[in-house]
Amino acid sequence: MFNHHVRTVLPRPRPAAEGTPTVLRDGSTVLIRQVRSTDAPMLADGFARLSARSRQLRFLGPKKMLSAAELRYLTDVDHHDHEAIGALSPAEGHGVGIARYIRDADDPRAAEIAVTIADDWQGRGLGAELLARLSDRARQAGICRFTATVSTGNVAMTRLLWKMGAKIAGRSRGTVEYEVTLEPADEYGLDRWLRCVVDSSVLAWP
């Protein structure tokens, strides 16, 4: 009679996702933190799980994948001239949303913004949460004005910008450019701002 030793190989546990737990308006929880230079795989995974419609709205044209150069650019954040704040699902560790600003080289008091929410996380209040936090970071960096170029078909993002007090700064074929003046830091309250906005099912990753 022989004794057979069967070795059971268990799957390696996924590293715990890091970030500040935040409860959204629908009761779901996300982890929110600043994007890091090592987050390229997370951004690539998030982009791969987007619908074609979301990619169209974000990139204003068909796009199948993010190049290595684009991923390096999107994760090359210095948290001053280029900031990005991301949200992760606590259960899977997947990135589910991101908001970023890039300071205007010609006007250091202005920055262009983009907000992105994964398809299955739209409508929960995540867009408003990320944009409020991004606004707070921008004020700390001396930025007092946001600009955003939005597809004319992106009704939700347009609604969110209007709630922020945006004004139309220009139009071109298929897009509208908006400008938002940020309140002074001493007049800013994150909770108050969040209560006055609606969620945006916005753009696409990232």
Side-chain angles (χ1 to χ4, degrees), residues 61-95:
K63 189 172 184 62
K64 295 183 178 180
M65 65 178 294
L66 294 172
S67 69
E70 287 172 322
L71 287 170
R72 283 194 300 271
Y73 175 74
L74 293 170
T75 54
D76 184 20
V77 292
D78 60 12
H79 308 299
H80 184 72
D81 294 331
H82 181 184
E83 178 64 285
I85 299 173
L88 299 92
S89 165
E92 298 88 14
H94 293 311

PDB file of all heavy atoms in Angstrom, residues 61-95:
ATOM      1  N   GLY A  61     -13.376  59.708 -30.147  1.00  0.00           N
ATOM      2  CA  GLY A  61     -13.130  58.885 -31.314  1.00  0.00           C
ATOM      3  C   GLY A  61     -12.868  57.456 -30.869  1.00  0.00           C
ATOM      4  O   GLY A  61     -12.668  57.190 -29.685  1.00  0.00           O
ATOM      5  N   PRO A  62     -12.855  56.492 -31.801  1.00  0.00           N
ATOM      6  CA  PRO A  62     -12.629  55.094 -31.426  1.00  0.00           C
ATOM      7  C   PRO A  62     -11.207  54.876 -30.923  1.00  0.00           C
ATOM      8  O   PRO A  62     -10.238  55.402 -31.469  1.00  0.00           O
ATOM      9  CB  PRO A  62     -12.875  54.333 -32.741  1.00  0.00           C
ATOM     10  CG  PRO A  62     -12.610  55.344 -33.815  1.00  0.00           C
ATOM     11  CD  PRO A  62     -13.037  56.671 -33.258  1.00  0.00           C
ATOM     12  N   LYS A  63     -11.086  54.133 -29.846  1.00  0.00           N
ATOM     13  CA  LYS A  63      -9.767  53.825 -29.289  1.00  0.00           C
ATOM     14  C   LYS A  63      -9.850  52.464 -28.627  1.00  0.00           C
ATOM     15  O   LYS A  63     -10.702  52.235 -27.777  1.00  0.00           O
ATOM     16  CB  LYS A  63      -9.352  54.887 -28.276  1.00  0.00           C
ATOM     17  CG  LYS A  63      -7.899  54.755 -27.816  1.00  0.00           C
ATOM     18  CD  LYS A  63      -7.500  55.943 -26.983  1.00  0.00           C
ATOM     19  CE  LYS A  63      -6.028  55.871 -26.589  1.00  0.00           C
ATOM     20  NZ  LYS A  63      -5.127  55.893 -27.760  1.00  0.00           N
ATOM     21  N   LYS A  64      -8.947  51.551 -29.002  1.00  0.00           N
ATOM     22  CA  LYS A  64      -9.018  50.184 -28.521  1.00  0.00           C
ATOM     23  C   LYS A  64      -8.121  49.905 -27.316  1.00  0.00           C
ATOM     24  O   LYS A  64      -8.401  49.006 -26.530  1.00  0.00           O
ATOM     25  CB  LYS A  64      -8.665  49.225 -29.656  1.00  0.00           C
ATOM     26  CG  LYS A  64      -9.674  49.252 -30.796  1.00  0.00           C
ATOM     27  CD  LYS A  64      -9.329  48.239 -31.872  1.00  0.00           C
ATOM     28  CE  LYS A  64     -10.364  48.246 -32.978  1.00  0.00           C
ATOM     29  NZ  LYS A  64     -10.029  47.258 -34.049  1.00  0.00           N
ATOM     30  N   MET A  65      -7.044  50.658 -27.184  1.00  0.00           N
ATOM     31  CA  MET A  65      -6.138  50.402 -26.074  1.00  0.00           C
ATOM     32  C   MET A  65      -5.298  51.639 -25.797  1.00  0.00           C
ATOM     33  O   MET A  65      -5.199  52.546 -26.620  1.00  0.00           O
ATOM     34  CB  MET A  65      -5.230  49.210 -26.374  1.00  0.00           C
ATOM     35  CG  MET A  65      -4.272  49.426 -27.536  1.00  0.00           C
ATOM     36  SD  MET A  65      -3.169  48.018 -27.819  1.00  0.00           S
ATOM     37  CE  MET A  65      -2.190  48.057 -26.331  1.00  0.00           C
ATOM     38  N   LEU A  66      -4.712  51.677 -24.596  1.00  0.00           N
ATOM     39  CA  LEU A  66      -3.786  52.742 -24.234  1.00  0.00           C
ATOM     40  C   LEU A  66      -2.367  52.266 -24.514  1.00  0.00           C
ATOM     41  O   LEU A  66      -1.988  51.153 -24.153  1.00  0.00           O
ATOM     42  CB  LEU A  66      -3.924  53.082 -22.752  1.00  0.00           C
ATOM     43  CG  LEU A  66      -5.258  53.693 -22.317  1.00  0.00           C
ATOM     44  CD1 LEU A  66      -5.306  53.799 -20.793  1.00  0.00           C
ATOM     45  CD2 LEU A  66      -5.451  55.063 -22.943  1.00  0.00           C
ATOM     46  N   SER A  67      -1.587  53.115 -25.161  1.00  0.00           N
ATOM     47  CA  SER A  67      -0.209  52.757 -25.459  1.00  0.00           C
ATOM     48  C   SER A  67       0.647  52.857 -24.206  1.00  0.00           C
ATOM     49  O   SER A  67       0.262  53.473 -23.207  1.00  0.00           O
ATOM     50  CB  SER A  67       0.349  53.678 -26.548  1.00  0.00           C
ATOM     51  OG  SER A  67       0.493  55.001 -26.034  1.00  0.00           O
ATOM     52  N   ALA A  68       1.826  52.270 -24.272  1.00  0.00           N
ATOM     53  CA  ALA A  68       2.753  52.350 -23.145  1.00  0.00           C
ATOM     54  C   ALA A  68       3.127  53.806 -22.861  1.00  0.00           C
ATOM     55  O   ALA A  68       3.243  54.210 -21.697  1.00  0.00           O
ATOM     56  CB  ALA A  68       4.005  51.524 -23.441  1.00  0.00           C
ATOM     57  N   ALA A  69       3.286  54.604 -23.899  1.00  0.00           N
ATOM     58  CA  ALA A  69       3.623  56.014 -23.724  1.00  0.00           C
ATOM     59  C   ALA A  69       2.490  56.770 -23.043  1.00  0.00           C
ATOM     60  O   ALA A  69       2.719  57.623 -22.175  1.00  0.00           O
ATOM     61  CB  ALA A  69       3.952  56.651 -25.074  1.00  0.00           C
ATOM     62  N   GLU A  70       1.239  56.459 -23.419  1.00  0.00           N
ATOM     63  CA  GLU A  70       0.089  57.108 -22.785  1.00  0.00           C
ATOM     64  C   GLU A  70      -0.006  56.735 -21.314  1.00  0.00           C
ATOM     65  O   GLU A  70      -0.300  57.582 -20.461  1.00  0.00           O
ATOM     66  CB  GLU A  70      -1.193  56.719 -23.526  1.00  0.00           C
ATOM     67  CG  GLU A  70      -1.335  57.382 -24.880  1.00  0.00           C
ATOM     68  CD  GLU A  70      -2.501  56.832 -25.672  1.00  0.00           C
ATOM     69  OE1 GLU A  70      -2.751  55.612 -25.604  1.00  0.00           O
ATOM     70  OE2 GLU A  70      -3.173  57.618 -26.365  1.00  0.00           O
ATOM     71  N   LEU A  71       0.237  55.476 -21.002  1.00  0.00           N
ATOM     72  CA  LEU A  71       0.187  55.042 -19.602  1.00  0.00           C
ATOM     73  C   LEU A  71       1.269  55.725 -18.766  1.00  0.00           C
ATOM     74  O   LEU A  71       1.023  56.117 -17.632  1.00  0.00           O
ATOM     75  CB  LEU A  71       0.331  53.526 -19.524  1.00  0.00           C
ATOM     76  CG  LEU A  71      -0.886  52.724 -19.981  1.00  0.00           C
ATOM     77  CD1 LEU A  71      -0.545  51.247 -20.097  1.00  0.00           C
ATOM     78  CD2 LEU A  71      -2.065  52.931 -19.044  1.00  0.00           C
ATOM     79  N   ARG A  72       2.461  55.880 -19.343  1.00  0.00           N
ATOM     80  CA  ARG A  72       3.521  56.584 -18.617  1.00  0.00           C
ATOM     81  C   ARG A  72       3.114  58.034 -18.363  1.00  0.00           C
ATOM     82  O   ARG A  72       3.324  58.570 -17.269  1.00  0.00           O
ATOM     83  CB  ARG A  72       4.828  56.537 -19.410  1.00  0.00           C
ATOM     84  CG  ARG A  72       5.551  55.196 -19.343  1.00  0.00           C
ATOM     85  CD  ARG A  72       6.968  55.310 -19.842  1.00  0.00           C
ATOM     86  NE  ARG A  72       7.028  55.749 -21.233  1.00  0.00           N
ATOM     87  CZ  ARG A  72       7.007  54.935 -22.271  1.00  0.00           C
ATOM     88  NH1 ARG A  72       6.930  53.621 -22.095  1.00  0.00           N
ATOM     89  NH2 ARG A  72       7.074  55.414 -23.496  1.00  0.00           N
ATOM     90  N   TYR A  73       2.520  58.661 -19.359  1.00  0.00           N
ATOM     91  CA  TYR A  73       2.099  60.054 -19.217  1.00  0.00           C
ATOM     92  C   TYR A  73       1.010  60.198 -18.150  1.00  0.00           C
ATOM     93  O   TYR A  73       1.051  61.107 -17.310  1.00  0.00           O
ATOM     94  CB  TYR A  73       1.588  60.576 -20.553  1.00  0.00           C
ATOM     95  CG  TYR A  73       1.010  61.967 -20.496  1.00  0.00           C
ATOM     96  CD1 TYR A  73       1.835  63.073 -20.364  1.00  0.00           C
ATOM     97  CD2 TYR A  73      -0.370  62.173 -20.575  1.00  0.00           C
ATOM     98  CE1 TYR A  73       1.308  64.356 -20.313  1.00  0.00           C
ATOM     99  CE2 TYR A  73      -0.903  63.442 -20.521  1.00  0.00           C
ATOM    100  CZ  TYR A  73      -0.051  64.530 -20.398  1.00  0.00           C
ATOM    101  OH  TYR A  73      -0.581  65.786 -20.340  1.00  0.00           O
ATOM    102  N   LEU A  74       0.044  59.293 -18.155  1.00  0.00           N
ATOM    103  CA  LEU A  74      -1.085  59.377 -17.234  1.00  0.00           C
ATOM    104  C   LEU A  74      -0.700  59.066 -15.791  1.00  0.00           C
ATOM    105  O   LEU A  74      -1.404  59.461 -14.865  1.00  0.00           O
ATOM    106  CB  LEU A  74      -2.198  58.438 -17.702  1.00  0.00           C
ATOM    107  CG  LEU A  74      -2.875  58.823 -19.025  1.00  0.00           C
ATOM    108  CD1 LEU A  74      -3.781  57.702 -19.512  1.00  0.00           C
ATOM    109  CD2 LEU A  74      -3.653  60.119 -18.883  1.00  0.00           C
ATOM    110  N   THR A  75       0.396  58.366 -15.600  1.00  0.00           N
ATOM    111  CA  THR A  75       0.835  58.058 -14.238  1.00  0.00           C
ATOM    112  C   THR A  75       2.030  58.912 -13.807  1.00  0.00           C
ATOM    113  O   THR A  75       2.525  58.767 -12.685  1.00  0.00           O
ATOM    114  CB  THR A  75       1.216  56.567 -14.105  1.00  0.00           C
ATOM    115  OG1 THR A  75       2.181  56.223 -15.110  1.00  0.00           O
ATOM    116  CG2 THR A  75      -0.014  55.692 -14.275  1.00  0.00           C
ATOM    117  N   ASP A  76       2.477  59.809 -14.663  1.00  0.00           N
ATOM    118  CA  ASP A  76       3.592  60.697 -14.327  1.00  0.00           C
ATOM    119  C   ASP A  76       3.047  61.924 -13.607  1.00  0.00           C
ATOM    120  O   ASP A  76       3.038  63.037 -14.131  1.00  0.00           O
ATOM    121  CB  ASP A  76       4.343  61.096 -15.597  1.00  0.00           C
ATOM    122  CG  ASP A  76       5.574  61.955 -15.293  1.00  0.00           C
ATOM    123  OD1 ASP A  76       6.045  61.911 -14.138  1.00  0.00           O
ATOM    124  OD2 ASP A  76       6.039  62.661 -16.216  1.00  0.00           O
ATOM    125  N   VAL A  77       2.569  61.723 -12.392  1.00  0.00           N
ATOM    126  CA  VAL A  77       1.950  62.798 -11.620  1.00  0.00           C
ATOM    127  C   VAL A  77       2.933  63.329 -10.587  1.00  0.00           C
ATOM    128  O   VAL A  77       3.637  62.558  -9.928  1.00  0.00           O
ATOM    129  CB  VAL A  77       0.658  62.313 -10.926  1.00  0.00           C
ATOM    130  CG1 VAL A  77      -0.423  62.011 -11.946  1.00  0.00           C
ATOM    131  CG2 VAL A  77       0.910  61.076 -10.082  1.00  0.00           C
ATOM    132  N   ASP A  78       2.996  64.655 -10.459  1.00  0.00           N
ATOM    133  CA  ASP A  78       3.870  65.251  -9.452  1.00  0.00           C
ATOM    134  C   ASP A  78       3.066  65.820  -8.286  1.00  0.00           C
ATOM    135  O   ASP A  78       3.628  66.390  -7.354  1.00  0.00           O
ATOM    136  CB  ASP A  78       4.751  66.334 -10.071  1.00  0.00           C
ATOM    137  CG  ASP A  78       3.950  67.478 -10.684  1.00  0.00           C
ATOM    138  OD1 ASP A  78       2.727  67.575 -10.441  1.00  0.00           O
ATOM    139  OD2 ASP A  78       4.556  68.290 -11.419  1.00  0.00           O
ATOM    140  N   HIS A  79       1.721  65.687  -8.348  1.00  0.00           N
ATOM    141  CA  HIS A  79       0.799  66.128  -7.296  1.00  0.00           C
ATOM    142  C   HIS A  79       0.817  67.644  -7.096  1.00  0.00           C
ATOM    143  O   HIS A  79       0.403  68.136  -6.049  1.00  0.00           O
ATOM    144  CB  HIS A  79       1.081  65.409  -5.971  1.00  0.00           C
ATOM    145  CG  HIS A  79       1.125  63.926  -6.109  1.00  0.00           C
ATOM    146  ND1 HIS A  79       0.031  63.200  -6.548  1.00  0.00           N
ATOM    147  CD2 HIS A  79       2.119  63.033  -5.900  1.00  0.00           C
ATOM    148  CE1 HIS A  79       0.358  61.914  -6.582  1.00  0.00           C
ATOM    149  NE2 HIS A  79       1.613  61.797  -6.205  1.00  0.00           N
ATOM    150  N   HIS A  80       1.292  68.365  -8.118  1.00  0.00           N
ATOM    151  CA  HIS A  80       1.274  69.831  -8.072  1.00  0.00           C
ATOM    152  C   HIS A  80       0.811  70.382  -9.422  1.00  0.00           C
ATOM    153  O   HIS A  80      -0.255  70.974  -9.511  1.00  0.00           O
ATOM    154  CB  HIS A  80       2.658  70.374  -7.712  1.00  0.00           C
ATOM    155  CG  HIS A  80       2.696  71.866  -7.556  1.00  0.00           C
ATOM    156  ND1 HIS A  80       2.118  72.504  -6.483  1.00  0.00           N
ATOM    157  CD2 HIS A  80       3.227  72.836  -8.339  1.00  0.00           C
ATOM    158  CE1 HIS A  80       2.283  73.820  -6.614  1.00  0.00           C
ATOM    159  NE2 HIS A  80       2.961  74.039  -7.728  1.00  0.00           N
ATOM    160  N   ASP A  81       1.605  70.166 -10.454  1.00  0.00           N
ATOM    161  CA  ASP A  81       1.202  70.590 -11.793  1.00  0.00           C
ATOM    162  C   ASP A  81       0.341  69.531 -12.487  1.00  0.00           C
ATOM    163  O   ASP A  81      -0.420  69.847 -13.398  1.00  0.00           O
ATOM    164  CB  ASP A  81       2.430  70.879 -12.654  1.00  0.00           C
ATOM    165  CG  ASP A  81       3.216  72.077 -12.157  1.00  0.00           C
ATOM    166  OD1 ASP A  81       2.599  72.985 -11.558  1.00  0.00           O
ATOM    167  OD2 ASP A  81       4.439  72.117 -12.357  1.00  0.00           O
ATOM    168  N   HIS A  82       0.501  68.301 -12.083  1.00  0.00           N
ATOM    169  CA  HIS A  82      -0.292  67.196 -12.636  1.00  0.00           C
ATOM    170  C   HIS A  82      -0.726  66.323 -11.463  1.00  0.00           C
ATOM    171  O   HIS A  82       0.093  65.679 -10.821  1.00  0.00           O
ATOM    172  CB  HIS A  82       0.541  66.392 -13.633  1.00  0.00           C
ATOM    173  CG  HIS A  82      -0.205  65.255 -14.270  1.00  0.00           C
ATOM    174  ND1 HIS A  82       0.398  64.364 -15.134  1.00  0.00           N
ATOM    175  CD2 HIS A  82      -1.508  64.856 -14.186  1.00  0.00           C
ATOM    176  CE1 HIS A  82      -0.493  63.474 -15.555  1.00  0.00           C
ATOM    177  NE2 HIS A  82      -1.654  63.753 -14.969  1.00  0.00           N
ATOM    178  N   GLU A  83      -2.014  66.336 -11.188  1.00  0.00           N
ATOM    179  CA  GLU A  83      -2.572  65.557 -10.086  1.00  0.00           C
ATOM    180  C   GLU A  83      -3.602  64.576 -10.636  1.00  0.00           C
ATOM    181  O   GLU A  83      -4.310  64.882 -11.614  1.00  0.00           O
ATOM    182  CB  GLU A  83      -3.224  66.472  -9.056  1.00  0.00           C
ATOM    183  CG  GLU A  83      -3.889  65.762  -7.880  1.00  0.00           C
ATOM    184  CD  GLU A  83      -2.902  64.995  -7.019  1.00  0.00           C
ATOM    185  OE1 GLU A  83      -2.458  63.908  -7.460  1.00  0.00           O
ATOM    186  OE2 GLU A  83      -2.574  65.491  -5.922  1.00  0.00           O
ATOM    187  N   ALA A  84      -3.665  63.410 -10.033  1.00  0.00           N
ATOM    188  CA  ALA A  84      -4.684  62.422 -10.386  1.00  0.00           C
ATOM    189  C   ALA A  84      -5.117  61.710  -9.118  1.00  0.00           C
ATOM    190  O   ALA A  84      -4.274  61.248  -8.340  1.00  0.00           O
ATOM    191  CB  ALA A  84      -4.156  61.425 -11.400  1.00  0.00           C
ATOM    192  N   ILE A  85      -6.423  61.620  -8.905  1.00  0.00           N
ATOM    193  CA  ILE A  85      -6.994  60.955  -7.737  1.00  0.00           C
ATOM    194  C   ILE A  85      -7.859  59.804  -8.236  1.00  0.00           C
ATOM    195  O   ILE A  85      -8.739  60.002  -9.083  1.00  0.00           O
ATOM    196  CB  ILE A  85      -7.829  61.936  -6.898  1.00  0.00           C
ATOM    197  CG1 ILE A  85      -6.931  63.079  -6.402  1.00  0.00           C
ATOM    198  CG2 ILE A  85      -8.488  61.230  -5.721  1.00  0.00           C
ATOM    199  CD1 ILE A  85      -7.679  64.179  -5.700  1.00  0.00           C
ATOM    200  N   GLY A  86      -7.587  58.612  -7.739  1.00  0.00           N
ATOM    201  CA  GLY A  86      -8.280  57.431  -8.220  1.00  0.00           C
ATOM    202  C   GLY A  86      -9.120  56.764  -7.149  1.00  0.00           C
ATOM    203  O   GLY A  86      -8.921  56.967  -5.950  1.00  0.00           O
ATOM    204  N   ALA A  87     -10.080  55.973  -7.593  1.00  0.00           N
ATOM    205  CA  ALA A  87     -10.941  55.190  -6.704  1.00  0.00           C
ATOM    206  C   ALA A  87     -10.811  53.723  -7.075  1.00  0.00           C
ATOM    207  O   ALA A  87     -10.782  53.372  -8.255  1.00  0.00           O
ATOM    208  CB  ALA A  87     -12.387  55.644  -6.824  1.00  0.00           C
ATOM    209  N   LEU A  88     -10.739  52.872  -6.050  1.00  0.00           N
ATOM    210  CA  LEU A  88     -10.607  51.433  -6.249  1.00  0.00           C
ATOM    211  C   LEU A  88     -11.745  50.705  -5.558  1.00  0.00           C
ATOM    212  O   LEU A  88     -12.235  51.135  -4.520  1.00  0.00           O
ATOM    213  CB  LEU A  88      -9.276  50.927  -5.699  1.00  0.00           C
ATOM    214  CG  LEU A  88      -8.003  51.482  -6.312  1.00  0.00           C
ATOM    215  CD1 LEU A  88      -7.537  52.708  -5.539  1.00  0.00           C
ATOM    216  CD2 LEU A  88      -6.909  50.425  -6.332  1.00  0.00           C
ATOM    217  N   SER A  89     -12.150  49.594  -6.147  1.00  0.00           N
ATOM    218  CA  SER A  89     -13.135  48.726  -5.523  1.00  0.00           C
ATOM    219  C   SER A  89     -12.454  47.928  -4.428  1.00  0.00           C
ATOM    220  O   SER A  89     -11.469  47.233  -4.687  1.00  0.00           O
ATOM    221  CB  SER A  89     -13.741  47.778  -6.560  1.00  0.00           C
ATOM    222  OG  SER A  89     -14.428  46.717  -5.930  1.00  0.00           O
ATOM    223  N   PRO A  90     -12.959  47.991  -3.189  1.00  0.00           N
ATOM    224  CA  PRO A  90     -12.320  47.225  -2.102  1.00  0.00           C
ATOM    225  C   PRO A  90     -12.361  45.717  -2.349  1.00  0.00           C
ATOM    226  O   PRO A  90     -11.456  45.000  -1.931  1.00  0.00           O
ATOM    227  CB  PRO A  90     -13.149  47.600  -0.869  1.00  0.00           C
ATOM    228  CG  PRO A  90     -13.846  48.872  -1.231  1.00  0.00           C
ATOM    229  CD  PRO A  90     -14.082  48.789  -2.710  1.00  0.00           C
ATOM    230  N   ALA A  91     -13.391  45.236  -3.018  1.00  0.00           N
ATOM    231  CA  ALA A  91     -13.559  43.796  -3.203  1.00  0.00           C
ATOM    232  C   ALA A  91     -12.572  43.222  -4.215  1.00  0.00           C
ATOM    233  O   ALA A  91     -11.912  42.215  -3.958  1.00  0.00           O
ATOM    234  CB  ALA A  91     -14.992  43.486  -3.629  1.00  0.00           C
ATOM    235  N   GLU A  92     -12.455  43.868  -5.381  1.00  0.00           N
ATOM    236  CA  GLU A  92     -11.606  43.322  -6.436  1.00  0.00           C
ATOM    237  C   GLU A  92     -10.256  44.003  -6.543  1.00  0.00           C
ATOM    238  O   GLU A  92      -9.333  43.463  -7.150  1.00  0.00           O
ATOM    239  CB  GLU A  92     -12.311  43.434  -7.796  1.00  0.00           C
ATOM    240  CG  GLU A  92     -13.615  42.669  -7.904  1.00  0.00           C
ATOM    241  CD  GLU A  92     -14.799  43.500  -7.451  1.00  0.00           C
ATOM    242  OE1 GLU A  92     -14.633  44.736  -7.319  1.00  0.00           O
ATOM    243  OE2 GLU A  92     -15.876  42.916  -7.239  1.00  0.00           O
ATOM    244  N   GLY A  93     -10.123  45.218  -5.979  1.00  0.00           N
ATOM    245  CA  GLY A  93      -8.889  45.961  -6.138  1.00  0.00           C
ATOM    246  C   GLY A  93      -8.773  46.650  -7.472  1.00  0.00           C
ATOM    247  O   GLY A  93      -7.741  47.235  -7.796  1.00  0.00           O
ATOM    248  N   HIS A  94      -9.825  46.580  -8.301  1.00  0.00           N
ATOM    249  CA  HIS A  94      -9.817  47.231  -9.610  1.00  0.00           C
ATOM    250  C   HIS A  94     -10.006  48.731  -9.462  1.00  0.00           C
ATOM    251  O   HIS A  94     -10.737  49.203  -8.590  1.00  0.00           O
ATOM    252  CB  HIS A  94     -10.953  46.693 -10.499  1.00  0.00           C
ATOM    253  CG  HIS A  94     -10.805  45.267 -10.897  1.00  0.00           C
ATOM    254  ND1 HIS A  94      -9.634  44.747 -11.414  1.00  0.00           N
ATOM    255  CD2 HIS A  94     -11.683  44.232 -10.868  1.00  0.00           C
ATOM    256  CE1 HIS A  94      -9.801  43.467 -11.697  1.00  0.00           C
ATOM    257  NE2 HIS A  94     -11.033  43.127 -11.363  1.00  0.00           N
ATOM    258  N   GLY A  95      -9.374  49.493 -10.354  1.00  0.00           N
ATOM    259  CA  GLY A  95      -9.664  50.905 -10.427  1.00  0.00           C
ATOM    260  C   GLY A  95     -11.048  51.119 -11.019  1.00  0.00           C
ATOM    261  O   GLY A  95     -11.423  50.478 -12.006  1.00  0.00           O
TER     262      GLY A  95
END
